[in-house]
Amino acid sequence: MTMATTTTPAASATPRHHGTVAQRARLVHAVAFEWIKIRSIRSTWWTLFAASFITVGIGLPGGGQANPGDSTATVLREIFVGLPLGQVAICLFGVLAATSEYGTGSIRSTFTAVPQRPRLLAAKALVVFAVSLVTGLLISFATYTAGSLALGADVAHPALSDGAVLRAVLGGGCYLGVLGVFALVLGLVLRASAGGITTAVSVTFILPIVFRMMGTSGQPLVKWWPTEAGQQILLLVPSPENLAPLPGFGYFAALTVVALIGATVLVNRRDA
């Protein structure tokens, strides 16, 4: 009787331990599953290449347009002038990471392989974020390097030894990383490539231009628009009309997380 009593707790603890390990393993497997799918889609590499080509390609002549009298903040803004167009390609990547499966019908196989929708979407978001972040950092540093090489001898060179410059260059990559997840959410909600891409382009590129054309009446919209707030991380000198760089990026990231949670709830109910 004594032996049975002393061994029971150890025996009951083992399944709980293995259960925890199994849950972690399933999440790891879901992440690996999503990574295999994303890297096997040809559009993934085309969109990421397009984002790199556009941003770096425009940044090179952008640096050449800087004048000797420009401040360091103005010079860095000229170097990253291609980011608003380059971010559109990151949006395409994020949207297609969700909608391509709905378009081919393979989403049913995905739900069968990983029936826990929150775990599946968490894994998908992690992979999209990781790919977008790594690509964004490469784009940001490549754009900075190309634009700096194009600067004239008399132009103020923004040096990475300056904390604000380093924050801006790193922040540009982090912004693109979060933007990939933001676009993924749009794809999960709309489930159609055409609708998701149109919405992503409108949200990140067209609507901010419209708000600026509205003058003072559109300034509050620009200030609190998610992608515009996130892009403040690229500025060396904060704009008095907009959010500060770090709060603006934090606001964008927080809204993206909230939107991802909402999309997870929607997919869990709608696609059950």
Side-chain angles (χ1 to χ4, degrees):
M1 292 296 293
T2 303
M3 292 179 60
T5 302
T6 55
T7 56
T8 298
S12 62
T14 302
R16 287 197 296 268
H17 173 72
H18 289 317
T20 302
V21 173
Q23 288 178 352
R24 292 176 181 172
R26 285 196 294 269
L27 178 60
V28 171
H29 293 158
V31 170
F33 180 46
E34 291 299 322
W35 166 240
I36 291 173
K37 287 190 300 181
I38 285 182
R39 76 180 184 186
S40 63
I41 299 174
R42 187 176 301 175
S43 61
T44 297
W45 306 111
W46 280 113
T47 53
L48 296 179
F49 173 78
S52 305
F53 180 79
I54 293 172
T55 308
V56 179
I58 297 178
L60 185 61
Q65 294 296 319
N67 299 313
D70 291 339
S71 64
T72 304
T74 301
V75 172
L76 192 66
R77 187 169 64 246
E78 291 291 339
I79 291 175
F80 280 94
V81 70
L83 184 68
L85 285 175
Q87 70 175 350
V88 172
I90 294 292
C91 287
L92 297 184
F93 163 66
V95 169
L96 292 175
T99 60
S100 58
E101 290 190 272
Y102 283 102
T104 60
S106 61
I107 190 66
R108 291 187 291 271
S109 300
T110 298
F111 285 154
T112 301
V114 187
Q116 297 83 3
R117 309 296 164 80
R119 181 181 300 152
L120 170 67
L121 297 186
K124 189 181 290 289
L126 283 173
V127 172
V128 169
F129 174 71
V131 174
S132 301
L133 177 63
V134 172
T135 303
L137 289 172
L138 291 175
I139 289 174
S140 190
F141 278 95
T143 302
Y144 165 80
T145 302
S148 297
L149 291 175
L151 294 176
D154 298 332
V155 177
H157 284 59
L160 291 178
S161 56
D162 184 342
V165 174
L166 181 60
R167 182 261 299 160
V169 177
L170 286 172
C174 293
Y175 166 76
L176 293 177
V178 176
L179 183 65
V181 180
F182 183 80
L184 172 70
V185 170
L186 295 177
L188 291 172
V189 172
L190 297 174
R191 296 189 295 182
S193 297
I197 292 171
T198 301
T199 302
V201 172
S202 300
V203 167
T204 59
F205 188 70
I206 298 177
L207 286 179
I209 294 177
V210 173
F211 295 155
R212 288 190 175 88
M213 293 174 61
M214 294 168 59
T216 55
S217 60
Q219 181 55 42
L221 295 174
V222 174
K223 178 179 181 179
W224 296 105
W225 197 248
T227 54
E228 289 299 301
Q231 288 184 45
Q232 300 306 306
I233 194 71
L234 285 161
L235 299 182
L236 297 186
V237 179
S239 172
E241 293 84 11
N242 297 319
L243 296 176
L246 291 178
F249 176 74
Y251 168 73
F252 175 50
L255 285 183
T256 300
V257 172
V258 171
L260 178 62
I261 294 173
T264 302
V265 174
L266 177 63
V267 171
N268 198 38
R269 293 179 177 178
R270 182 186 61 192
D271 299 334

